[in-house]
PDB file of all heavy atoms in Angstrom:
ATOM      1  N   LEU O   1      21.416  50.390  -6.997  1.00 96.00           N
ATOM      2  CA  LEU O   1      20.706  49.108  -6.469  1.00 96.00           C
ATOM      3  C   LEU O   1      19.926  49.435  -5.183  1.00 96.00           C
ATOM      4  O   LEU O   1      18.800  48.977  -4.824  1.00 96.00           O
ATOM      5  CB  LEU O   1      21.584  47.916  -6.285  1.00 96.00           C
ATOM      6  CG  LEU O   1      22.054  47.318  -7.652  1.00 96.00           C
ATOM      7  CD1 LEU O   1      23.129  46.186  -7.373  1.00 96.00           C
ATOM      8  CD2 LEU O   1      20.980  46.691  -8.475  1.00 96.00           C
ATOM      9  N   ALA O   2      20.630  50.124  -4.261  1.00 95.00           N
ATOM     10  CA  ALA O   2      20.062  50.485  -2.986  1.00 95.00           C
ATOM     11  C   ALA O   2      18.872  51.408  -3.135  1.00 95.00           C
ATOM     12  O   ALA O   2      17.793  51.270  -2.619  1.00 95.00           O
ATOM     13  CB  ALA O   2      21.097  51.215  -2.086  1.00 95.00           C
ATOM     14  N   LEU O   3      19.005  52.364  -4.058  1.00 96.00           N
ATOM     15  CA  LEU O   3      17.874  53.295  -4.477  1.00 96.00           C
ATOM     16  C   LEU O   3      16.655  52.457  -4.898  1.00 96.00           C
ATOM     17  O   LEU O   3      15.354  52.648  -4.809  1.00 96.00           O
ATOM     18  CB  LEU O   3      18.327  54.361  -5.382  1.00 96.00           C
ATOM     19  CG  LEU O   3      19.133  55.365  -4.863  1.00 96.00           C
ATOM     20  CD1 LEU O   3      19.712  56.254  -5.936  1.00 96.00           C
ATOM     21  CD2 LEU O   3      18.386  56.293  -3.747  1.00 96.00           C
ATOM     22  N   PHE O   4      17.050  51.451  -5.777  1.00 96.00           N
ATOM     23  CA  PHE O   4      15.898  50.544  -6.499  1.00 96.00           C
ATOM     24  C   PHE O   4      15.139  49.970  -5.405  1.00 96.00           C
ATOM     25  O   PHE O   4      13.917  49.689  -5.557  1.00 96.00           O
ATOM     26  CB  PHE O   4      16.629  49.784  -7.580  1.00 96.00           C
ATOM     27  CG  PHE O   4      15.677  48.717  -8.107  1.00 96.00           C
ATOM     28  CD1 PHE O   4      14.807  49.014  -9.170  1.00 96.00           C
ATOM     29  CD2 PHE O   4      15.645  47.298  -7.669  1.00 96.00           C
ATOM     30  CE1 PHE O   4      13.910  48.132  -9.627  1.00 96.00           C
ATOM     31  CE2 PHE O   4      14.732  46.588  -8.153  1.00 96.00           C
ATOM     32  CZ  PHE O   4      13.908  46.805  -9.157  1.00 96.00           C
ATOM     33  N   GLU O   5      15.972  49.191  -4.568  1.00 95.00           N
ATOM     34  CA  GLU O   5      15.298  48.446  -3.495  1.00 95.00           C
ATOM     35  C   GLU O   5      14.388  49.317  -2.690  1.00 95.00           C
ATOM     36  O   GLU O   5      13.278  48.870  -2.223  1.00 95.00           O
ATOM     37  CB  GLU O   5      16.317  47.746  -2.608  1.00 95.00           C
ATOM     38  CG  GLU O   5      15.843  46.686  -1.800  1.00 95.00           C
ATOM     39  CD  GLU O   5      17.003  45.943  -1.162  1.00 95.00           C
ATOM     40  OE1 GLU O   5      18.063  45.983  -1.643  1.00 95.00           O
ATOM     41  OE2 GLU O   5      16.598  45.208  -0.166  1.00 95.00           O
ATOM     42  N   CYS O   6      14.830  50.637  -2.321  1.00 95.00           N
ATOM     43  CA  CYS O   6      13.903  51.504  -1.555  1.00 95.00           C
ATOM     44  C   CYS O   6      12.769  51.865  -2.338  1.00 95.00           C
ATOM     45  O   CYS O   6      11.683  51.924  -1.871  1.00 95.00           O
ATOM     46  CB  CYS O   6      14.748  52.677  -1.239  1.00 95.00           C
ATOM     47  SG  CYS O   6      13.891  53.855  -0.216  1.00 95.00           S
ATOM     48  N   TRP O   7      12.939  52.235  -3.639  1.00 96.00           N
ATOM     49  CA  TRP O   7      11.801  52.546  -4.499  1.00 96.00           C
ATOM     50  C   TRP O   7      10.793  51.453  -4.484  1.00 96.00           C
ATOM     51  O   TRP O   7       9.511  51.684  -4.559  1.00 96.00           O
ATOM     52  CB  TRP O   7      12.388  53.059  -5.842  1.00 96.00           C
ATOM     53  CG  TRP O   7      11.295  53.350  -6.927  1.00 96.00           C
ATOM     54  CD1 TRP O   7      10.502  54.464  -6.992  1.00 96.00           C
ATOM     55  CD2 TRP O   7      10.986  52.354  -7.927  1.00 96.00           C
ATOM     56  NE1 TRP O   7       9.730  54.147  -8.190  1.00 96.00           N
ATOM     57  CE2 TRP O   7      10.122  52.960  -8.723  1.00 96.00           C
ATOM     58  CE3 TRP O   7      11.524  51.065  -8.382  1.00 96.00           C
ATOM     59  CZ2 TRP O   7       9.466  52.354  -9.914  1.00 96.00           C
ATOM     60  CZ3 TRP O   7      10.998  50.510  -9.465  1.00 96.00           C
ATOM     61  CH2 TRP O   7       9.938  51.205 -10.190  1.00 96.00           C
ATOM     62  N   SER O   8      11.312  50.158  -4.774  1.00 94.00           N
ATOM     63  CA  SER O   8      10.441  49.061  -4.987  1.00 94.00           C
ATOM     64  C   SER O   8       9.608  48.787  -3.835  1.00 94.00           C
ATOM     65  O   SER O   8       8.509  48.226  -3.948  1.00 94.00           O
ATOM     66  CB  SER O   8      11.356  47.764  -5.390  1.00 94.00           C
ATOM     67  OG  SER O   8      12.075  48.104  -6.566  1.00 94.00           O
ATOM     68  N   SER O   9      10.084  49.127  -2.601  1.00 93.00           N
ATOM     69  CA  SER O   9       9.407  48.685  -1.417  1.00 93.00           C
ATOM     70  C   SER O   9       8.395  50.049  -0.903  1.00 93.00           C
ATOM     71  O   SER O   9       7.887  49.767   0.227  1.00 93.00           O
ATOM     72  CB  SER O   9      10.307  48.272  -0.293  1.00 93.00           C
ATOM     73  OG  SER O   9      11.165  49.322   0.003  1.00 93.00           O
ATOM     74  N   SER O  10       8.438  51.104  -1.608  1.00 91.00           N
ATOM     75  CA  SER O  10       7.777  52.313  -1.138  1.00 91.00           C
ATOM     76  C   SER O  10       6.300  51.972  -1.414  1.00 91.00           C
ATOM     77  O   SER O  10       5.832  51.331  -2.379  1.00 91.00           O
ATOM     78  CB  SER O  10       8.307  53.509  -1.906  1.00 91.00           C
ATOM     79  OG  SER O  10       7.970  53.443  -3.209  1.00 91.00           O
ATOM     80  N   ASN O  11       5.557  52.795  -0.564  1.00 89.00           N
ATOM     81  CA  ASN O  11       4.012  52.537  -0.740  1.00 89.00           C
ATOM     82  C   ASN O  11       3.458  53.310  -1.948  1.00 89.00           C
ATOM     83  O   ASN O  11       2.362  53.136  -2.402  1.00 89.00           O
ATOM     84  CB  ASN O  11       3.260  53.002   0.530  1.00 89.00           C
ATOM     85  CG  ASN O  11       3.540  52.105   1.625  1.00 89.00           C
ATOM     86  OD1 ASN O  11       3.549  50.814   1.530  1.00 89.00           O
ATOM     87  ND2 ASN O  11       3.718  52.666   2.883  1.00 89.00           N
ATOM     88  N   ASN O  12       4.226  54.388  -2.405  1.00 89.00           N
ATOM     89  CA  ASN O  12       3.800  55.185  -3.465  1.00 89.00           C
ATOM     90  C   ASN O  12       4.609  55.063  -4.691  1.00 89.00           C
ATOM     91  O   ASN O  12       4.990  56.049  -5.467  1.00 89.00           O
ATOM     92  CB  ASN O  12       3.643  56.739  -3.073  1.00 89.00           C
ATOM     93  CG  ASN O  12       4.931  57.108  -2.443  1.00 89.00           C
ATOM     94  OD1 ASN O  12       5.897  56.425  -2.105  1.00 89.00           O
ATOM     95  ND2 ASN O  12       5.178  58.516  -2.373  1.00 89.00           N
ATOM     96  N   GLN O  13       5.096  53.884  -4.974  1.00 91.00           N
ATOM     97  CA  GLN O  13       5.993  53.554  -6.160  1.00 91.00           C
ATOM     98  C   GLN O  13       5.402  53.968  -7.343  1.00 91.00           C
ATOM     99  O   GLN O  13       6.093  54.516  -8.268  1.00 91.00           O
ATOM    100  CB  GLN O  13       6.243  52.184  -6.069  1.00 91.00           C
ATOM    101  CG  GLN O  13       7.112  51.623  -7.316  1.00 91.00           C
ATOM    102  CD  GLN O  13       7.266  50.079  -7.229  1.00 91.00           C
ATOM    103  OE1 GLN O  13       6.594  49.372  -6.464  1.00 91.00           O
ATOM    104  NE2 GLN O  13       7.922  49.576  -8.242  1.00 91.00           N
ATOM    105  N   ASN O  14       4.025  53.841  -7.498  1.00 90.00           N
ATOM    106  CA  ASN O  14       3.563  54.186  -8.891  1.00 90.00           C
ATOM    107  C   ASN O  14       3.331  55.626  -9.018  1.00 90.00           C
ATOM    108  O   ASN O  14       2.704  56.244  -9.899  1.00 90.00           O
ATOM    109  CB  ASN O  14       2.144  53.385  -8.939  1.00 90.00           C
ATOM    110  CG  ASN O  14       1.067  53.852  -7.782  1.00 90.00           C
ATOM    111  OD1 ASN O  14       1.526  54.543  -6.893  1.00 90.00           O
ATOM    112  ND2 ASN O  14      -0.189  53.674  -8.171  1.00 90.00           N
ATOM    113  N   GLU O  15       3.861  56.537  -8.023  1.00 91.00           N
ATOM    114  CA  GLU O  15       3.867  57.943  -8.176  1.00 91.00           C
ATOM    115  C   GLU O  15       5.171  58.467  -8.318  1.00 91.00           C
ATOM    116  O   GLU O  15       5.307  59.806  -8.428  1.00 91.00           O
ATOM    117  CB  GLU O  15       3.156  58.566  -6.962  1.00 91.00           C
ATOM    118  CG  GLU O  15       1.608  58.199  -6.870  1.00 91.00           C
ATOM    119  CD  GLU O  15       1.056  58.795  -5.562  1.00 91.00           C
ATOM    120  OE1 GLU O  15       1.716  59.284  -4.695  1.00 91.00           O
ATOM    121  OE2 GLU O  15      -0.090  58.448  -5.348  1.00 91.00           O
ATOM    122  N   MET O  16       6.165  57.647  -8.421  1.00 93.00           N
ATOM    123  CA  MET O  16       7.684  58.256  -8.452  1.00 93.00           C
ATOM    124  C   MET O  16       8.259  57.546  -9.722  1.00 93.00           C
ATOM    125  O   MET O  16       8.090  56.383  -9.915  1.00 93.00           O
ATOM    126  CB  MET O  16       8.337  57.849  -7.135  1.00 93.00           C
ATOM    127  CG  MET O  16       7.938  58.609  -6.028  1.00 93.00           C
ATOM    128  SD  MET O  16       8.992  58.206  -4.494  1.00 93.00           S
ATOM    129  CE  MET O  16       8.636  56.418  -4.329  1.00 93.00           C
ATOM    130  N   PHE O  17       8.984  58.290 -10.456  1.00 95.00           N
ATOM    131  CA  PHE O  17       9.723  57.864 -11.630  1.00 95.00           C
ATOM    132  C   PHE O  17      11.199  57.539 -11.102  1.00 95.00           C
ATOM    133  O   PHE O  17      11.856  58.601 -10.779  1.00 95.00           O
ATOM    134  CB  PHE O  17       9.697  58.871 -12.718  1.00 95.00           C
ATOM    135  CG  PHE O  17      10.235  58.408 -13.993  1.00 95.00           C
ATOM    136  CD1 PHE O  17       9.787  57.488 -14.740  1.00 95.00           C
ATOM    137  CD2 PHE O  17      11.529  59.049 -14.330  1.00 95.00           C
ATOM    138  CE1 PHE O  17      10.312  57.075 -15.884  1.00 95.00           C
ATOM    139  CE2 PHE O  17      12.181  58.459 -15.615  1.00 95.00           C
ATOM    140  CZ  PHE O  17      11.514  57.506 -16.365  1.00 95.00           C
ATOM    141  N   TYR O  18      11.366  56.280 -11.090  1.00 96.00           N
ATOM    142  CA  TYR O  18      12.755  55.781 -10.502  1.00 96.00           C
ATOM    143  C   TYR O  18      13.861  56.378 -11.254  1.00 96.00           C
ATOM    144  O   TYR O  18      14.916  56.722 -10.565  1.00 96.00           O
ATOM    145  CB  TYR O  18      12.770  54.269 -10.491  1.00 96.00           C
ATOM    146  CG  TYR O  18      14.182  53.729 -10.201  1.00 96.00           C
ATOM    147  CD1 TYR O  18      14.680  53.920  -8.872  1.00 96.00           C
ATOM    148  CD2 TYR O  18      15.025  53.261 -11.123  1.00 96.00           C
ATOM    149  CE1 TYR O  18      15.948  53.473  -8.482  1.00 96.00           C
ATOM    150  CE2 TYR O  18      16.249  52.861 -10.752  1.00 96.00           C
ATOM    151  CZ  TYR O  18      16.721  52.840  -9.621  1.00 96.00           C
ATOM    152  OH  TYR O  18      18.006  52.443  -9.204  1.00 96.00           O
ATOM    153  N   GLY O  19      13.781  56.743 -12.561  1.00 96.00           N
ATOM    154  CA  GLY O  19      14.811  57.231 -13.321  1.00 96.00           C
ATOM    155  C   GLY O  19      15.281  58.669 -12.824  1.00 96.00           C
ATOM    156  O   GLY O  19      16.316  59.107 -13.069  1.00 96.00           O
ATOM    157  N   ASP O  20      14.402  59.291 -12.018  1.00 95.00           N
ATOM    158  CA  ASP O  20      14.782  60.712 -11.550  1.00 95.00           C
ATOM    159  C   ASP O  20      15.619  60.560 -10.318  1.00 95.00           C
ATOM    160  O   ASP O  20      16.239  61.613  -9.876  1.00 95.00           O
ATOM    161  CB  ASP O  20      13.525  61.391 -11.180  1.00 95.00           C
ATOM    162  CG  ASP O  20      12.774  61.878 -12.496  1.00 95.00           C
ATOM    163  OD1 ASP O  20      13.315  62.041 -13.422  1.00 95.00           O
ATOM    164  OD2 ASP O  20      11.564  62.222 -12.396  1.00 95.00           O
ATOM    165  N   GLN O  21      15.809  59.289  -9.751  1.00 94.00           N
ATOM    166  CA  GLN O  21      16.443  59.218  -8.474  1.00 94.00           C
ATOM    167  C   GLN O  21      17.866  58.741  -8.675  1.00 94.00           C
ATOM    168  O   GLN O  21      18.574  58.891  -7.701  1.00 94.00           O
ATOM    169  CB  GLN O  21      15.788  58.154  -7.630  1.00 94.00           C
ATOM    170  CG  GLN O  21      14.278  58.557  -7.222  1.00 94.00           C
ATOM    171  CD  GLN O  21      13.658  57.529  -6.369  1.00 94.00           C
ATOM    172  OE1 GLN O  21      14.290  56.842  -5.535  1.00 94.00           O
ATOM    173  NE2 GLN O  21      12.268  57.397  -6.448  1.00 94.00           N
ATOM    174  N   VAL O  22      18.306  58.551  -9.858  1.00 96.00           N
ATOM    175  CA  VAL O  22      19.621  58.104 -10.115  1.00 96.00           C
ATOM    176  C   VAL O  22      20.491  59.167 -10.963  1.00 96.00           C
ATOM    177  O   VAL O  22      19.906  60.187 -11.285  1.00 96.00           O
ATOM    178  CB  VAL O  22      19.616  56.774 -10.879  1.00 96.00           C
ATOM    179  CG1 VAL O  22      18.943  55.695 -10.154  1.00 96.00           C
ATOM    180  CG2 VAL O  22      19.051  56.943 -12.245  1.00 96.00           C
ATOM    181  N   ASP O  23      21.802  58.948 -10.915  1.00 93.00           N
ATOM    182  CA  ASP O  23      22.648  59.808 -11.615  1.00 93.00           C
ATOM    183  C   ASP O  23      22.358  59.975 -12.982  1.00 93.00           C
ATOM    184  O   ASP O  23      22.255  61.136 -13.650  1.00 93.00           O
ATOM    185  CB  ASP O  23      24.193  59.623 -11.336  1.00 93.00           C
ATOM    186  CG  ASP O  23      24.548  58.098 -11.565  1.00 93.00           C
ATOM    187  OD1 ASP O  23      23.564  57.344 -12.016  1.00 93.00           O
ATOM    188  OD2 ASP O  23      25.856  57.720 -11.705  1.00 93.00           O
ATOM    189  N   LYS O  24      22.108  58.852 -13.709  1.00 96.00           N
ATOM    190  CA  LYS O  24      21.863  58.726 -15.178  1.00 96.00           C
ATOM    191  C   LYS O  24      20.971  57.611 -15.497  1.00 96.00           C
ATOM    192  O   LYS O  24      21.204  56.515 -15.088  1.00 96.00           O
ATOM    193  CB  LYS O  24      23.176  58.530 -15.994  1.00 96.00           C
ATOM    194  CG  LYS O  24      24.076  59.899 -16.101  1.00 96.00           C
ATOM    195  CD  LYS O  24      25.038  59.712 -17.305  1.00 96.00           C
ATOM    196  CE  LYS O  24      25.732  61.139 -17.553  1.00 96.00           C
ATOM    197  NZ  LYS O  24      26.670  61.072 -18.597  1.00 96.00           N
ATOM    198  N   CYS O  25      19.877  57.963 -16.355  1.00 98.00           N
ATOM    199  CA  CYS O  25      19.086  57.030 -16.945  1.00 98.00           C
ATOM    200  C   CYS O  25      19.184  57.189 -18.484  1.00 98.00           C
ATOM    201  O   CYS O  25      18.869  58.309 -18.950  1.00 98.00           O
ATOM    202  CB  CYS O  25      17.587  57.362 -16.425  1.00 98.00           C
ATOM    203  SG  CYS O  25      16.420  56.327 -17.194  1.00 98.00           S
ATOM    204  N   TYR O  26      19.656  56.154 -19.143  1.00 98.00           N
ATOM    205  CA  TYR O  26      20.011  56.233 -20.562  1.00 98.00           C
ATOM    206  C   TYR O  26      18.820  55.726 -21.349  1.00 98.00           C
ATOM    207  O   TYR O  26      18.050  54.809 -21.036  1.00 98.00           O
ATOM    208  CB  TYR O  26      21.136  55.336 -20.946  1.00 98.00           C
ATOM    209  CG  TYR O  26      22.417  55.720 -20.231  1.00 98.00           C
ATOM    210  CD1 TYR O  26      22.930  55.022 -19.091  1.00 98.00           C
ATOM    211  CD2 TYR O  26      23.234  56.761 -20.613  1.00 98.00           C
ATOM    212  CE1 TYR O  26      24.033  55.364 -18.345  1.00 98.00           C
ATOM    213  CE2 TYR O  26      24.396  57.121 -19.944  1.00 98.00           C
ATOM    214  CZ  TYR O  26      24.798  56.447 -18.809  1.00 98.00           C
ATOM    215  OH  TYR O  26      25.982  56.721 -18.202  1.00 98.00           O
ATOM    216  N   LYS O  27      18.646  56.493 -22.538  1.00 98.00           N
ATOM    217  CA  LYS O  27      17.541  55.957 -23.499  1.00 98.00           C
ATOM    218  C   LYS O  27      18.068  55.315 -24.597  1.00 98.00           C
ATOM    219  O   LYS O  27      19.003  55.837 -25.301  1.00 98.00           O
ATOM    220  CB  LYS O  27      16.725  57.406 -23.918  1.00 98.00           C
ATOM    221  CG  LYS O  27      15.649  57.068 -24.927  1.00 98.00           C
ATOM    222  CD  LYS O  27      14.970  58.449 -25.197  1.00 98.00           C
ATOM    223  CE  LYS O  27      13.778  58.147 -26.242  1.00 98.00           C
ATOM    224  NZ  LYS O  27      13.175  59.436 -26.653  1.00 98.00           N
ATOM    225  N   CYS O  28      17.501  54.130 -24.899  1.00 98.00           N
ATOM    226  CA  CYS O  28      18.123  53.287 -26.016  1.00 98.00           C
ATOM    227  C   CYS O  28      16.841  52.880 -26.962  1.00 98.00           C
ATOM    228  O   CYS O  28      15.910  52.190 -26.378  1.00 98.00           O
ATOM    229  CB  CYS O  28      18.706  52.153 -25.460  1.00 98.00           C
ATOM    230  SG  CYS O  28      19.355  50.926 -26.821  1.00 98.00           S
TER     231      CYS O  28
END
């Protein structure tokens, strides 16, 4: 959640894939 908040407020959010910043991003 802390990483999400930081990513959401960044100026280059549309150039970063948030899923790369966390331990696990699951595909369903």
Side-chain angles (χ1 to χ4, degrees):
L1 290 173
L3 288 169
F4 173 78
E5 195 168 342
C6 181
W7 171 78
S8 297
S9 59
S10 64
N11 292 322
N12 55 345
Q13 178 185 1
N14 63 340
E15 296 173 357
M16 296 186 293
F17 186 68
Y18 171 69
D20 288 339
Q21 300 183 25
V22 299
D23 53 349
K24 279 196 175 183
C25 175
Y26 301 99
K27 180 179 178 180
C28 178

